Amino acid sequence: MGQETLRVLISEDALQARVRELGRKIREDYGEDASITCVGVLKGSFVFMADLVRAIGGNVRCEFLGVSSYHGGTRSTGVVKITHDLQKPVEGQHCLLIEDIVDTGLTMDYLLKMLHVREPASLKVVTLLDKPTNREVGVEVQYVGFTIPDEFVVGYGLDLGELYRNLPYIAVYTP
Ligand code: IMP
């Protein structure tokens, strides 16, 4: 303990600029009049989602899915536990699943299957970060903020043992 370091990987300015860009692109793709049901994956996506839904603009509904896949460590266990389910049906709605990071892809794969059976009109995915090195299962992600190397990152919603979510930038954590 006491030796850990944080190195800025993506600055606050770079994050904000990319999120605005993603929001504009998403709104353009769905169309000005489209109503989008944004499904945020808790807890990691809450900071990204708050900025992204404002960048998307127009008619947006916000729903949340709570999952826990790490249980405090830095490696994915592959076991996804639903800690909070959607509060409203999404049948017939244009759903945009919002993730903080796709690593092995196991969490996303599980969530996509779970949402598909609820019969949305369409289902797309946006992730702030993509860490493709460790992918164990192929998942289709329509919008990616940044592709990053295989390092453990924190900040802007991402945590280590529930800490660092409030950093306004993304940093590499070294124990
Ligand atoms: P996956 O199932 O391996 O794709 O992992 C997805 C989940 O693991 C994300 O939603 C994060 O909560 C967590 N995760 C993966 N990599 C990192 C990281 O570098 N920092 C913090 N959390 C991570």
Side-chain angles (χ1 to χ4, degrees):
M1 287 299 279
Q3 298 297 307
E4 69 268 16
T5 58
L6 294 177
R7 171 172 55 83
V8 177
L9 182 68
I10 307 168
S11 70
E12 181 172 2
D13 284 352
L15 278 174
Q16 293 300 329
R18 184 68 183 126
V19 172
R20 274 197 299 274
E21 219 170 69
L22 280 173
R24 268 199 300 271
K25 173 79 177 125
I26 289 167
R27 178 46 77 194
E28 193 183 298
D29 289 355
Y30 279 86
E32 284 307 316
D33 300 330
S35 193
I36 307 172
T37 301
C38 290
V39 180
V41 183
L42 295 173
K43 299 177 190 169
S45 76
F46 83 102
V47 179
F48 173 44
M49 181 169 175
D51 286 340
L52 185 66
V53 292
R54 285 178 285 182
I56 292 173
N59 286 339
V60 165
R61 290 188 175 82
C62 294
E63 282 288 331
F64 297 94
L65 273 175
V67 304
S68 120
S69 53
Y70 264 0
H71 315 295
T74 60
R75 302 305 305 178
S76 185
T77 56
V79 180
V80 179
K81 192 173 101 192
I82 299 294
T83 57
H84 175 90
D85 203 350
L86 301 174
Q87 300 296 290
K88 297 236 172 78
V90 292
E91 190 183 339
Q93 297 175 23
H94 294 291
C95 285
L96 178 66
L97 189 59
I98 303 180
E99 253 291 24
D100 53 353
I101 186 165
V102 180
D103 185 15
T104 62
L106 292 167
T107 308
M108 182 58 68
D109 184 57
Y110 182 91
L111 293 178
L112 284 174
K113 285 178 180 146
M114 175 182 161
L115 281 175
H116 262 302
V117 299
R118 300 184 184 198
E119 303 184 333
S122 68
L123 180 55
K124 285 187 178 182
V125 177
V126 54
T127 185
L128 176 68
L129 305 174
D130 184 16
K131 212 157 57 168
T133 326
N134 295 327
R135 199 72 97 246
E136 286 179 29
V137 48
V139 283
E140 225 184 301
V141 180
Q142 285 75 23
Y143 305 98
V144 174
F146 301 87
T147 300
I148 62 165
D150 182 21
E151 293 187 281
F152 193 82
V153 292
V154 296
Y156 200 63
L158 290 106
D159 77 310
L160 174 63
E162 295 302 328
L163 290 179
Y164 308 114
R165 294 193 198 274
N166 57 336
L167 296 177
Y169 49 84
I170 297 282
V172 172
Y173 175 90
T174 313

